[in-house]
Amino acid sequence: MYDVLIIGCGITGAAAAFALSRYRLSIAVLERENDVSMGATKANSAILHAGYDPEPGTLMARLNLRGVELARPLCRDLDVPYRACGSLVAAFSPEERAVLEALCERGKSNGVPGLELLTGAEARTLEPELSEAVIAALHAPSAAVCSPWEYCLALAETAVRNGADLRLETAVTGLQRTEAGWRVQTSRGTFEARFVVNAAGVSADAVHDMAAPHAFDILPVRGQYFLLDKSEGVRVSRVIFQTPTAQGKGVLVAPTVHGNLLAGPDAEPLSRCDTSTTADRLDCVRRTAQKSVPGIRFQDTIRTFAGVRAQSGRGDFILQEAEGAPGFFDLAGICSPGLSAAPAIAEYAVELLERAGLVLEEKQDFLCRRRRVRFRELSPEDRAALVERDPAYGRIVCRCETVTEGEILEALRAPIPPRSVDGVKRRVNAGMGRCQGGFCGPRVVELLARELGVSPGEVVQEGAGSRLLVCETKGGGRHV
């Protein structure tokens, strides 16, 4: 019997597990995919928003501001790439400038520090590549960018190091109320828990309906992106938004913590989760991004991708104990600014659980430090000393990102080891560069196979059904 069982290990579930692991509790996290951060967390804009956009008085407004306050020390302590860069919201007409004035006042009501309205000329002194058509901009110096999948992994890994039980490839199939709490049926057996936290992202409504009467709908919205080569990474130094509309914050142009340039997303409502990209929507993203920053060289794109965010239609996060299901808590509708708010959402969830009867006793031995080797960032002297201690760090596997065999082996022996080629990429950046794994892919497959104790033919690119190699079996058959 667990004290708390969390369904879903995107940024919300991972943050909840991290926050709860500070206490003397038995915690389980169930994730249906083969890794953490596999939904919206791995495919978003990577922005920690300043907090001027949410309506004052909402949970979004309150938790956005608290979340970005928590993010800086968390990223520092857990060794997550973080860049305090600030943002600009561009206006192209007097009508849009009036929207910026309203956003500025809203942001001040929310407590956002340092907001200021700039003229177009003043904005271009900060960002020379900004379009001449921009007549005004809202400057928010407290905005930042991070590596969202590394943020999620760091939170989940720290929770595991502090005793949480993570079960991957474990899909929830049913929920039943018991005298002691909840019985959770899954694809890998049954679990018992006193409290259940629903952090299932785009599936949060379906999970809720297993436990309680229907209360909300999750509406998947797809957004498509361009990731550009590092040669474009210095095009802007801040996140460049356009004036928001009813569809959301719109297409942005932003630097990434890894030195690339990101452009997107659009907003396309879907009836189901679909992360494929389309030529017409990407063309729209390209044209819209160039309205803000005309000089972007989209011929230097190294990857396009799509993410699906979980809109609820309520205009706010759904953070509550489900009516008619005592001990079952929804953390749902976590769309933007969900990444920004995640650690604050987790704090709020802990408060809800405590009010429902969960006894919290802080651990004196809570571990909240994490470090990993980034060979490319070391000085020549530190590199030499590291290679002398472990020669695996002297073997470069990914040339584009200067990732060593030692870094990959470190990831494969961590508390949450990768189970796929893309899992390695998210942890150490191998395959994240200009050739997108064309050079290092075979070596990564070899290391995965060896460390996981499987044949190369069983290694997957990402999830089930994505095997990379065709292998002959003893019976003469073949499988992909």
Side-chain angles (χ1 to χ4, degrees), residues 342-387:
I345 291 172
E347 277 189 342
Y348 190 82
V350 172
E351 292 173 11
L352 292 176
L353 286 160
E354 185 177 26
R355 288 204 295 267
L358 181 66
V359 177
L360 301 179
E361 179 188 349
E362 286 199 41
K363 293 175 179 172
Q364 298 304 309
D365 57 350
F366 177 69
L367 302 172
C368 192
R369 300 287 292 181
R370 174 182 176 272
R371 286 290 177 267
R372 77 170 184 83
V373 172
R374 293 181 175 86
F375 188 81
R376 67 179 299 157
E377 297 176 7
L378 299 178
S379 67
E381 296 77 15
D382 287 341
R383 288 183 179 187
L386 180 61
V387 172

Side-chain angles (χ1 to χ4, degrees), residues 56-264:
T58 61
L59 284 169
M60 278 186 177
R62 169 186 160 187
L63 301 179
N64 184 158
L65 208 67
R66 174 61 175 161
V68 295
E69 178 187 332
L70 292 169
R72 186 190 287 263
L74 273 176
C75 289
R76 179 196 65 220
D77 293 345
L78 301 183
D79 200 9
V80 176
Y82 173 99
R83 178 176 172 184
C85 59
S87 67
L88 293 172
V89 187
F92 295 86
S93 68
E95 293 78 14
E96 289 188 350
R97 191 188 191 284
V99 175
L100 297 193
E101 292 172 353
L103 283 178
C104 188
E105 290 306 309
R106 185 188 300 175
K108 290 176 180 177
S109 295
N110 289 342
V112 179
L115 287 175
E116 57 179 342
L117 275 170
L118 307 177
T119 65
E122 288 170 335
R124 280 183 287 277
T125 63
L126 298 179
E127 294 292 346
E129 295 275 344
L130 200 61
S131 168
E132 290 290 333
V134 173
I135 66 165
L138 177 61
H139 181 213
S142 61
V145 293
C146 71
S147 175
W149 49 87
E150 291 183 77
Y151 195 11
C152 179
L153 175 67
L155 292 167
E157 194 173 271
T158 304
V160 169
R161 289 174 62 216
N162 283 286
D165 184 7
L166 174 64
R167 302 294 184 97
L168 298 173
E169 296 180 289
T170 305
V172 173
T173 57
L175 287 156
Q176 182 182 355
R177 181 82 179 130
T178 67
E179 285 189 13
W182 290 89
R183 181 173 297 115
V184 184
Q185 284 101 25
T186 79
S187 58
R188 291 178 179 262
T190 300
F191 300 83
E192 303 274 349
R194 292 178 57 216
F195 298 95
V196 172
V197 174
N198 172 19
V202 293
S203 300
D205 53 352
V207 170
H208 170 96
D209 291 352
M210 295 178 189
H214 184 76
F216 58 87
D217 292 305
I218 295 298
L219 313 171
V221 176
R222 178 171 62 185
Q224 301 187 36
Y225 294 86
F226 288 89
L227 181 68
L228 290 95
D229 186 68
K230 290 181 179 177
S231 60
E232 286 293 293
V234 295
R235 184 71 63 182
V236 297
S237 59
R238 293 166 182 80
V239 180
I240 310 298
F241 294 101
Q242 294 178 9
T243 305
T245 68
Q247 282 69 49
K249 297 181 177 70
V251 172
L252 59 88
V253 178
T256 75
V257 290
H258 299 113
N260 301 86
L261 189 73
L262 187 71

Side-chain angles (χ1 to χ4, degrees), residues 399-448:
R399 292 181 180 179
C400 296
E401 297 292 309
T402 319
V403 178
T404 66
E405 180 181 317
E407 291 167 88
I408 295 172
L409 292 176
E410 179 186 354
L412 285 165
R413 295 164 185 172
I416 307 176
R419 301 184 182 188
S420 67
V421 172
D422 282 355
V424 171
K425 177 170 69 173
R426 285 189 294 275
R427 284 158 175 79
V428 299
N429 270 35
M432 198 76 82
R434 183 173 293 177
C435 82
Q436 288 291 289
F439 176 82
C440 64
R443 181 64 177 141
V444 171
V445 169
E446 180 185 350
L447 291 170
L448 270 167

